[in-house]
């Protein structure tokens, strides 16, 4: 049934794009204007680059928890370095995954509504059966993290384990797997959550905010020296 519905949507995609182009709004944008951006909570993630050791435990856990096929990835740790002079050298590790933008460029261009903003969690998600593989969301993502899943043939990305661990009341797989506690996850609307406490007390930054994306993945910039536990 899902395959048949996707084929139907694929056939209707051109018409949907035409309507969106004429009005200046996509299906997702119209839905957003109707108030779907109101959320019960607003989940966010902090990556402490000082604590990250580049062990890839997070990406391995993500792959296992979400059945991510080989050849693609929802989460990668990028390595830079070494910096400095031997023996006082260090590396910089940064997280590459969906930034869970409140600006939602991927949602704004999706002609079928497959990319959407979940009103319960504030998470940007993908309805697999609605995706027609048009690649609009992949082109629109300024972080270049979306991909076509070779098994489902639909757009895919990190969703904070929304359909696996999060709905069971557990933290995302990457958070639990990190041996150095470099990841902090929580609700920005809860003033007593750990993620809010860390953001209040620790200098942090976000990537490409000048583009108006308003990402909900925060970073604590790495400093020269040893890991701080």
């Amino acid at each position: 049934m899902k395959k048949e519905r996707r084929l139907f949507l694929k056939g209707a995609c051109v018409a949907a794009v035409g309507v969106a182009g004429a009005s200046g709004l996509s299906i997702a944008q119209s839905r957003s204007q109707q108030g779907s951006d109101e959320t019960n909570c607003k989940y966010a993630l902090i990556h402490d680059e000082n604590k990250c050791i580049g062990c890839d435990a997070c990406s391995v856990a993500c792959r296992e928890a979400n059945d991510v096929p080989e050849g693609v990835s929802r989460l990668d740790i990028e390595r830079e370095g070494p910096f400095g002079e031997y023996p006082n050298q260090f590396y910089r590790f940064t997280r590459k995954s969906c930034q869970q933008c409140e600006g939602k460029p991927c949602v704004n261009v999706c002609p079928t509504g497959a990319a959407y903003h979940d009103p319960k969690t504030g998470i940007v998600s993908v309805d697999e059966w609605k995706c027609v593989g048009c690649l609009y969301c992949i082109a629109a993502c300024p972080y270049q993290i979306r991909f076509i899943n070779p098994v489902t043939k639909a757009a895919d990305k990190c969703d904070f384990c929304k359909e696996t661990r999060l709905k069971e009341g557990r933290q995302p797989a990457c958070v639990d797997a990190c041996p150095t506690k470099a990841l902090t996850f929580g609700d920005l609307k809860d003033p007593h959550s750990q993620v809010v406490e860390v953001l209040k007390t620790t200098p942090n930054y976000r990537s490409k905010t000048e583009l108006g994306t308003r990402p909900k993945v925060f970073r604590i910039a790495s400093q020269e020296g040893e890991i701080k536990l």
Side-chain angles (χ1 to χ4, degrees):
M1 177 62 72
K2 287 185 177 181
K3 184 176 181 181
E4 293 175 354
R5 297 181 76 176
R6 184 180 293 172
L7 289 173
F8 171 79
L9 282 169
K10 192 168 186 177
C13 183
V14 174
V17 173
V19 171
S23 65
L25 294 171
S26 71
I27 293 173
Q29 283 175 308
S30 298
R31 181 169 60 183
S32 175
Q33 285 189 352
Q34 294 171 3
S36 63
D37 280 352
E38 287 299 319
T39 59
N40 296 331
C41 58
K42 187 185 292 186
Y43 284 121
L45 183 77
I46 303 171
H47 179 224
D48 190 334
E49 297 171 2
N50 293 292
K51 293 182 177 180
C52 182
I53 57 176
C55 66
D56 283 327
C58 57
S59 58
V60 172
C62 170
R63 185 175 300 278
E64 292 178 353
N66 299 289
D67 294 323
V68 180
E70 292 295 328
V72 293
S73 178
R74 288 185 169 194
L75 165 62
D76 288 309
I77 298 297
E78 297 185 332
R79 297 159 175 78
E80 296 179 82
F83 301 99
E85 298 294 330
Y86 180 84
N88 299 313
Q89 293 179 310
F90 69 98
Y91 289 82
R92 180 174 295 120
F93 303 103
T94 56
R95 176 187 174 104
K96 183 178 181 181
S97 67
C98 176
Q99 301 296 292
Q100 292 300 331
C101 303
E102 292 187 88
K104 309 182 293 296
C106 56
V107 173
N108 294 340
V109 300
C110 180
T112 66
Y116 71 99
H117 178 253
D118 180 23
K120 293 183 179 179
T121 63
I123 295 173
V124 176
S125 301
V126 179
D127 266 341
E128 173 189 310
W129 70 269
K130 290 183 180 180
C131 179
V132 295
C134 67
L135 307 183
Y136 283 12
C137 63
I138 292 176
C141 175
Y143 303 97
Q144 299 181 328
I145 51 79
R146 279 180 173 251
F147 58 91
I148 296 296
N149 188 305
V151 175
T152 65
K153 309 302 182 184
D156 202 348
K157 66 175 192 64
C158 166
D159 62 358
F160 288 158
C161 293
K162 182 172 76 74
E163 297 302 324
T164 53
R165 295 172 60 90
L166 204 61
K167 69 179 182 181
E168 297 174 353
R170 296 187 291 171
Q171 296 214 82
C174 59
V175 178
D176 279 345
C178 182
T180 61
K181 306 302 179 186
L183 297 171
T184 304
F185 178 77
D187 182 5
L188 290 175
K189 287 191 173 183
D190 178 1
H192 304 294
S193 67
Q194 186 179 5
V195 72
V196 170
E197 290 299 322
V198 173
L199 292 176
K200 282 183 177 180
T201 58
T202 311
N204 58 81
Y205 75 99
R206 293 178 291 173
S207 178
K208 300 184 179 180
T209 54
E210 69 277 6
L211 299 178
T213 52
R214 306 199 307 280
K216 296 198 296 296
V217 172
F218 297 80
R219 307 166 189 269
I220 298 175
S222 60
Q223 303 295 324
E224 181 177 354
E226 297 182 358
I227 183 172
K228 299 178 182 179
L229 298 176

